[in-house]
Amino acid sequence: MLTSSDSLKSRKELDAELGGAARAWLDEALAEAAHDAARAPAASGTPHPEASPYASPSWELRFAAAGRHCGQENADSVRSLLLVEARAPMSSVTRLYEQGTAAERRAVLLTLHLLDLGDTALPLIEDALRANDTRLVAAAVGPYAADHLDPHAWRHAVLKCLFTEVPVAAVARLDDRAREDAELARMLSDFAAERTAAGRPVPEDLRTVLALTAPADEGGHPAGPTAAPAAPAPTEES
C-alpha cells in the first residue's frame, strides 16, 4: 500500500471509525503527547530538569503500538497525530525513524511537513530515497520534499519514482516544480533512451512528467509534449 500525506485521517474521522477501546487508547496517547509538548525545553535549549537524556517520552512508545491498538489501516494517521500533538523535536523524529519499522518510518515521512523542523529533516528524506522500499519512496516525495529538496536532489527523486515504479501522482507539487525544467527533461529523455536501448518499455508516467517540462509557448501555454525515444526498429537478426 502506497500511502500519501493526503490520505491521513483527521482526529474526527478516526473517532468515527474507531471502537470505544481504541478511542480511549488514542485519547490517552494524545494526552501524553500534549503533556510532553507542554514541558518541552525552552528555546534556549535548557533541558527540563526531570528529563533524562536516555529516556524516550511515553508517547513514543505509543507511536510504535498504534497499529496494534487502532488497526493497521489507521496506524499512519494515528502516528501522524501523535507527532503533531507532541510538536515532535528533531531528536524524537530521528529516533522514531531510525529505530522504527518500515511502517513507522513511513508515518514519520508523511508528517514532516506538519512539523516545525525547517530543512533539518532532509537526511531522513535522502535516506528513504536511497531505499528500494516503494512505500518509503512514495512517502519521501511528499510536501516536505517539495518544499526543501534542492533542484538536483528533487529531479533524482522523480527518477527514483520512475525507476521503482512509484506513481508520479505521489510527488507533491509535481506540476509546479517540473514546469519548464529543461534539465529534468534531459534526464528523462536519457532515462527513456536507456530503457529503449535495453528493450524495456518506457513508463507512461515518464511521458506525463516530460510533458510538464515543455517550455511555454508565446501565449504562456505549455508547448506540446516532447516525445520520448521510440523503440528501435527490428533488424533482420531480431
Side-chain angles (χ1 to χ4, degrees):
M1 178 179 63
L2 300 181
T3 307
S4 73
S5 59
D6 292 337
S7 65
L8 293 175
K9 301 172 186 175
S10 67
R11 176 68 191 279
K12 183 177 180 179
E13 290 171 322
L14 285 170
D15 281 346
E17 296 182 18
L18 297 175
R23 283 199 305 273
W25 182 91
L26 180 56
D27 285 341
E28 293 175 1
L30 291 175
E32 290 175 8
H35 177 70
D36 193 67
R39 62 195 290 273
S44 63
T46 304
H48 191 282
E50 300 175 2
S52 166
Y54 305 106
S56 299
S58 59
W59 69 266
E60 291 189 20
L61 302 178
R62 300 273 194 173
F63 183 92
R68 185 164 66 253
H69 289 276
C70 298
Q72 294 301 328
E73 70 278 13
N74 297 314
D76 282 340
S77 300
V78 170
R79 288 169 177 146
S80 181
L81 286 175
L82 283 170
L83 288 165
V84 172
E85 193 69 29
R87 299 200 297 271
M90 194 59 209
S91 57
S92 288
V93 171
T94 301
R95 180 163 52 244
L96 291 171
Y97 181 86
E98 292 183 344
Q99 298 179 3
T101 63
E104 291 163 24
R105 290 184 173 200
R106 180 180 66 231
V108 169
L109 295 167
L110 292 172
T111 312
L112 291 178
H113 67 293
L114 300 175
L115 304 174
D116 186 18
L117 299 173
D119 62 1
T120 60
L122 276 175
L124 304 187
I125 295 293
E126 293 163 354
D127 178 81
L129 290 172
R130 286 192 294 268
N132 288 320
D133 187 327
T134 54
R135 297 169 300 171
L136 296 184
V137 174
V141 292
Y144 186 86
D147 290 340
H148 295 285
L149 280 181
D150 64 40
H152 177 77
W154 184 83
R155 292 176 188 124
H156 280 277
V158 173
L159 285 177
K160 178 76 174 190
C161 288
L162 294 170
F163 183 77
T164 57
E165 299 183 356
V166 169
V168 295
V171 182
R173 289 177 46 208
L174 176 64
D175 290 11
D176 176 45
R177 293 209 56 171
R179 185 177 299 118
E180 300 185 52
D181 188 334
E183 177 60 15
L184 178 59
R186 182 195 65 76
M187 294 169 68
L188 292 171
S189 295
D190 288 349
F191 179 67
E194 291 172 4
R195 299 272 299 192
T196 300
R200 304 179 66 187
V202 175
E204 189 60 36
D205 268 357
L206 185 146
R207 305 177 196 278
T208 299
V209 181
L210 195 57
L212 295 173
T213 67
D217 60 23
E218 292 182 358
H221 305 292
T226 303
T235 64
E236 294 181 0
E237 294 181 355
S238 61

